[in-house]
Amino acid sequence: MKSNYIQKETITGVVPVLGNERKYSFIDLFLSTSGFAIATWCYTQGAYVAKFLNFKQMLINIFCFNIVWVLISCLPVLFAVRYGIDLWIWLRAVLGRKGVTVLSIVISLANFGWYAVAANLFASSMVNLANNFGLSLNTNIWSPILGTLCVVLGTIIALGGPEVIKWTNRFLVVALLAVGIIVFIICLTAVPFNDLINVKPAEEAGVTALQRFMLSAEGNVAFAFSWSTQALVMPRLSRTERSGYWGTVLSYGFVAPFFVATGGVMALAMFVKTGVYESDPTTMLATLTTPALGLLSLLLVAFANIGTQGTGSYVNCMIVKSGLPKVSYKLLVILAMIYVSILTIWGGVEEYFGAFISLAAYIQGPIIGMILVDYLILRRRKLSLKSAYNMNGHNSYEYTNGFNIIGLLCIIITCLVAMIYVYNPYSGEIKSNIFLFTTGSGFTAIFGGLLYFIASISPLRQYMLKDRNDLDII
């Protein structure tokens, strides 16, 4: 009974995963992470970017900003695999035990908005499929029902844990990759290529070409950051540091941007063909592809969202579990299902898509900067696991009543400075030319890391490094 409990708390809890317990090869991690990364929100993101840029600028923007930031933000994957823990256990050193509890809940609540987008796209896919077979469905009635169905089916996968997720994605992701490549080629040929590359973005009064490019970059940096707090959960199941890092980077840094680019190309092709920018991939697929391929693509796109719901629910519930280790994983999954279902029925996340991803990134950006400084410079890749797990007599990460005041202040100050002086993600207003060099989300990572570094070389260093006496007994 005790061994079964430990095994359960290792896979769906916060207990470190030992080397002989890790079941994910490079291919397993790559496919599972890709299945998580290539949900139809990629198409929505691509359509969002396409409004600002022409064809060439769009491709440069999508791939460059995603690849660079993913390569950097995924460096802590190495410690995730080495220690068999996820980011949020290490963050107890940066934020304090109770700080992790608060931030893990806040960020997961923000992350789950993505799954409402995926569920609504699943509903749209199903409605379009029904229309293709001559069955007209009232979207006001059926969209909430079908979207909730997607959430429920994803929840069933999440309850099965990593093993079910692994086998689900082995089949689904390979099919999706193949269809994605075919769809990309078809979209390039659905309209004359010269017309596609000559589409000019709509000009807005007072917005320069450089500002348009960087507003698009803000979307892509925020998109890259959206993986950061989730990316370091599954790699702990990987057998080697190399496979953990590259399995993660290739998924989020190359596969996901490819599908974002596909969404962007589809949006531009739709504009050439219809004169309207479209963000719903199901409508774009039905319009641009052949009927047979359109049906197949819609079906795969629909079921991709179910797989994403499953993986995303597991990952985000594991994040919350880091802050609330005594709460049952199954209970968290059920609560997540209820929350995402409410967001899905509401449908408001898509309406504020750009502001949503940037606001989420403004919380995640400083954490990325701080964890890199903490991991590489301050703690030099050495963590006290006994303090991280608050074992008797080892309370280095309690700091001030469970909160690392320095880490939390870095986040708060960074968010305020970024919103007041650099870029307001809610209004979309550029406050400073700094935005044209770093973007708003990029600034939060750089500035948050810089603040944390300055604190680490000041007299506050002693407060931040209470764990050094614990290291010789790890």
Side-chain angles (χ1 to χ4, degrees):
M1 183 70 72
K2 185 177 180 181
S3 63
N4 289 337
Y5 173 79
I6 293 174
Q7 184 179 22
K8 182 181 72 173
E9 285 300 303
T10 298
I11 303 303
T12 57
V14 296
V15 175
V17 185
L18 300 178
N20 60 357
E21 296 171 334
R22 300 175 190 179
K23 306 295 184 182
Y24 273 41
S25 64
F26 165 78
I27 292 297
D28 292 329
L29 183 65
F30 172 72
L31 291 179
S32 294
T33 308
S34 294
F36 180 40
I38 61 178
T40 43
W41 54 48
C42 289
Y43 297 117
T44 304
Q45 172 72 7
Y48 170 77
V49 172
K51 293 180 182 179
F52 294 102
L53 306 173
N54 62 34
F55 181 81
K56 294 178 182 177
Q57 292 172 333
M58 180 188 71
L59 293 183
I60 292 170
N61 202 295
I62 288 171
F63 283 102
C64 288
F65 284 98
N66 272 285
I67 290 170
V68 168
W69 277 111
V70 167
L71 283 168
I72 295 171
S73 64
C74 284
L75 282 174
V77 164
L78 298 173
F79 82 67
V81 179
R82 180 173 301 174
Y83 284 89
I85 62 176
D86 65 56
L87 167 75
W88 289 90
I89 299 301
W90 186 290
L91 277 174
R92 291 176 181 177
V94 180
L95 302 173
R97 181 176 55 83
K98 292 181 181 177
V100 164
T101 301
V102 173
L103 267 295
S104 65
I105 293 172
V106 169
I107 286 180
S108 292
L109 288 175
N111 284 341
F112 275 122
W114 287 103
Y115 306 101
V117 173
N120 284 320
L121 289 170
F122 171 86
S124 180
S125 300
M126 291 292 100
V127 170
N128 276 325
L129 277 171
N131 289 338
N132 286 329
F133 286 101
L135 180 61
S136 180
L137 298 179
N138 186 323
T139 55
N140 292 329
I141 296 174
W142 283 99
S143 289
I145 294 173
L146 292 169
T148 303
L149 175 64
C150 176
V151 177
V152 171
L153 293 174
T155 299
I156 294 172
I157 293 174
L159 289 172
E163 196 66 19
V164 174
I165 291 170
K166 178 174 75 174
W167 286 102
T168 300
N169 285 305
R170 276 191 180 181
F171 297 103
L172 186 60
V173 172
V174 173
L176 281 169
L177 288 171
V179 170
I181 293 170
I182 294 170
V183 168
F184 184 81
I185 294 170
I186 287 177
C187 289
L188 289 176
T189 57
V191 296
F193 186 67
N194 284 335
D195 291 349
L196 191 66
I197 63 175
N198 288 327
V199 173
K200 296 186 182 300
E203 296 186 2
E204 298 180 43
V207 179
T208 67
L210 178 59
Q211 287 175 331
R212 281 202 309 271
F213 186 84
M214 294 309 292
L215 284 168
S216 176
E218 167 61 23
N220 282 311
V221 174
F223 189 70
F225 283 10
S226 70
W227 310 117
S228 61
T229 51
Q230 307 171 69
L232 306 188
V233 173
M234 297 193 74
R236 73 195 192 105
L237 304 173
S238 185
R239 292 169 186 159
T240 67
E241 291 181 25
R242 179 181 295 179
S243 64
Y245 180 74
W246 288 110
T248 305
V249 165
L250 290 174
S251 299
Y252 295 135
F254 294 87
V255 176
F258 169 75
F259 279 83
V260 173
T262 300
V265 172
M266 282 199 293
L268 292 176
M270 280 290 289
F271 182 79
V272 171
K273 196 162 188 174
T274 66
V276 176
Y277 281 106
E278 176 61 57
S279 62
D280 187 333
T282 61
T283 302
M284 293 190 283
L285 286 169
T287 304
L288 297 173
T289 62
T290 62
L293 183 59
L295 287 173
L296 176 62
S297 301
L298 283 173
L299 193 60
L300 285 169
V301 163
F303 281 95
N305 289 304
I306 295 175
T308 299
Q309 291 287 339
T311 307
S313 182
Y314 168 75
V315 167
N316 282 284
C317 287
M318 290 292 289
I319 291 174
V320 177
K321 184 85 169 167
S322 299
L324 300 170
K326 294 183 180 180
V327 179
S328 162
Y329 168 76
K330 289 185 178 180
L331 176 61
L332 290 175
V333 171
I334 298 300
L335 291 175
M337 178 187 72
I338 296 170
Y339 174 61
V340 177
S341 296
I342 292 171
L343 291 180
T344 300
I345 294 169
W346 171 53
V349 175
E350 291 169 271
E351 185 179 350
Y352 303 101
F353 186 75
F356 161 70
I357 60 175
S358 286
L359 284 168
Y362 268 38
I363 302 173
Q364 295 162 323
I367 292 177
I368 293 172
M370 290 193 301
I371 194 69
L372 287 172
V373 171
D374 191 83
Y375 171 60
L376 296 172
I377 300 174
L378 179 62
R379 256 168 260 282
R380 297 182 184 273
R381 298 177 293 173
K382 294 179 180 179
L383 182 78
S384 168
L385 284 179
K386 291 187 177 181
S387 286
Y389 284 93
N390 203 35
M391 297 179 69
N392 289 336
H394 304 276
N395 56 2
S396 300
Y397 304 143
E398 281 298 295
Y399 296 107
T400 305
N401 297 321
F403 295 94
N404 184 336
I405 303 300
I406 304 303
L408 294 174
L409 281 176
C410 286
I411 294 174
I412 294 169
I413 293 170
T414 297
C415 289
L416 290 175
V417 169
M419 292 186 72
I420 296 172
Y421 297 107
V422 181
Y423 175 71
N424 185 323
Y426 185 76
S427 65
E429 182 183 358
I430 298 173
K431 300 282 191 175
S432 163
N433 284 337
I434 293 174
F435 176 85
L436 303 179
F437 294 93
T438 65
T439 74
S441 297
F443 174 83
T444 64
I446 295 168
F447 191 72
L450 180 62
L451 284 180
Y452 194 78
F453 173 73
I454 291 172
S456 74
I457 57 174
S458 74
L460 298 171
R461 181 181 178 88
Q462 187 175 357
Y463 174 87
M464 300 166 74
L465 281 178
K466 292 182 176 181
D467 62 350
R468 296 301 90 178
N469 292 331
D470 253 356
L471 296 182
D472 59 338
I473 53 176
I474 290 179

